[in-house]
Amino acid sequence: MNQPADNPLTEIYRDPWLLVVHKPAGLLVHRSPIDRHETEFALQYARRLNGGEHVYPVHRLDRPTSGLLVFARDAATASVLGKALMAGQVSKTYLAMVRGWAPERGLIDHPLREHATDKRCKGELQPLREASTRYQRLATTEIPVEIEGYPGSRYSLLALYPETGRKHQLRRHMQHISHPIIGDTNYGRTRHNHYFAERFGYSRLMLAATAMAFVHPVTGEPLELRCPPEPSFTQVLSIFGEDIALA
């Protein structure tokens, strides 16, 4: 992995058509009307890695989510890979630390209402879209700390496999099954978020994109991409002990 000293992105993979990087938590992918004051974006840093040439983001990661981010190096490649994503031909794996002991595995098939992208439509009811997420439990732990009235507090480490790509899908689906992601200020539990922020000295969403697999849009060969979570993520996972298996 290659990371220039002045660039927050870590290069994971490069070929003539694709540039794949690790995006740290807290960095926007591109300019957003919601965060008009921000001046730094993954898109501009990826362009630097690409020798100043334009790159095309083919999918998104929420600002607080870290992990794999794929850019195409030309418009034609971006179009082909974008269509593969829309067709469900790209598999993604995320790691998430959630409140409570989740079942060993399951499928969350729960439609999600779209978020209005135009402020003028905020008061209008948005359509429901099909959304499904598979998950597998990797580890559990219980710490002797009272957070919500119980003498101990339980947590799970999950591998999440989204089968659709709705906005905030994983975060909303985890809330739906009452296992919200730690550090989620929109859909999580405030007391648990505060506990981990105080314990580790920083606050972050415990969600990381760690693997992707798809057919290369130009060569037609299978491509599997992986990257470990960043240190701010693995430090929090220390509550599970040393022998946890990261998917």
Side-chain angles (χ1 to χ4, degrees):
M1 296 191 297
N2 177 37
Q3 182 175 10
D6 61 344
N7 195 318
L9 302 181
T10 304
E11 183 178 317
I12 303 297
Y13 173 86
R14 176 195 294 261
D15 66 24
W17 308 278
L18 298 173
L19 174 65
V20 183
V21 301
H22 174 278
K23 181 191 82 69
L27 184 65
L28 286 167
V29 173
H30 47 65
R31 194 175 301 277
S32 165
I34 300 175
D35 298 280
R36 296 182 185 276
H37 63 285
E38 291 296 332
T39 59
E40 296 187 341
F41 311 96
L43 184 62
Q44 72 188 49
Y45 287 116
R47 187 169 181 170
R48 290 185 194 175
L49 291 176
N50 199 40
E53 297 296 320
H54 191 69
V55 292
Y56 303 79
V58 296
H59 66 109
R60 64 177 182 264
L61 283 180
D62 293 343
R63 177 177 184 169
T65 304
S66 60
L68 286 171
L69 185 61
V70 179
F71 293 91
R73 302 179 71 185
D74 62 83
T77 301
S79 177
V80 174
L81 191 51
K83 290 175 181 176
L85 276 159
M86 295 293 290
Q89 298 169 351
V90 177
S91 66
K92 301 178 183 179
T93 301
Y94 290 74
L95 287 180
M97 177 181 160
V98 304
R99 168 189 166 275
W101 286 0
E104 288 189 10
R105 58 181 50 84
L107 171 66
I108 305 167
D109 188 3
H110 176 67
L112 297 173
R113 198 168 299 280
E114 286 190 352
H115 289 267
T117 55
D118 190 330
K119 289 185 177 180
R120 294 170 295 182
C121 301
K122 288 293 185 181
E124 300 177 9
L125 193 63
Q126 301 300 307
L128 279 171
R129 302 295 187 196
E130 291 184 1
S132 58
T133 302
R134 291 186 298 111
Y135 66 88
Q136 179 181 357
R137 193 182 71 204
L138 304 177
T140 60
T141 192
E142 182 171 4
I143 60 176
V145 177
E146 181 179 330
I147 296 177
E148 289 187 330
Y150 299 97
S153 298
R154 294 179 171 185
Y155 302 96
S156 301
L157 177 64
L158 305 180
L160 305 179
Y161 311 102
E163 297 182 343
T164 51
R166 309 305 177 199
K167 186 176 179 65
H168 296 174
Q169 175 175 314
L170 300 180
R171 297 161 65 182
R172 295 163 76 185
H173 271 176
M174 289 301 101
Q175 179 197 44
H176 175 69
I177 65 169
S178 299
H179 293 291
I181 299 175
I182 298 302
D184 193 335
T185 57
N186 290 343
Y187 309 101
R189 301 292 283 265
T190 301
R191 291 184 181 178
H192 293 270
N193 295 347
H194 285 173
Y195 169 77
F196 283 97
E198 291 175 2
R199 175 167 173 172
F200 290 95
Y202 55 84
S203 178
R204 66 151 293 158
L205 177 69
M206 290 299 293
L207 180 65
T210 56
M212 293 181 68
F214 52 87
V215 173
H216 194 288
V218 177
T219 68
E221 295 296 318
L223 182 61
E224 294 188 7
L225 303 163
R226 293 183 177 273
C227 73
E230 60 186 337
S232 64
F233 191 100
T234 55
Q235 286 168 6
V236 179
L237 294 188
S238 64
I239 70 163
F240 290 94
E242 298 180 356
D243 299 323
I244 58 171
L246 301 181

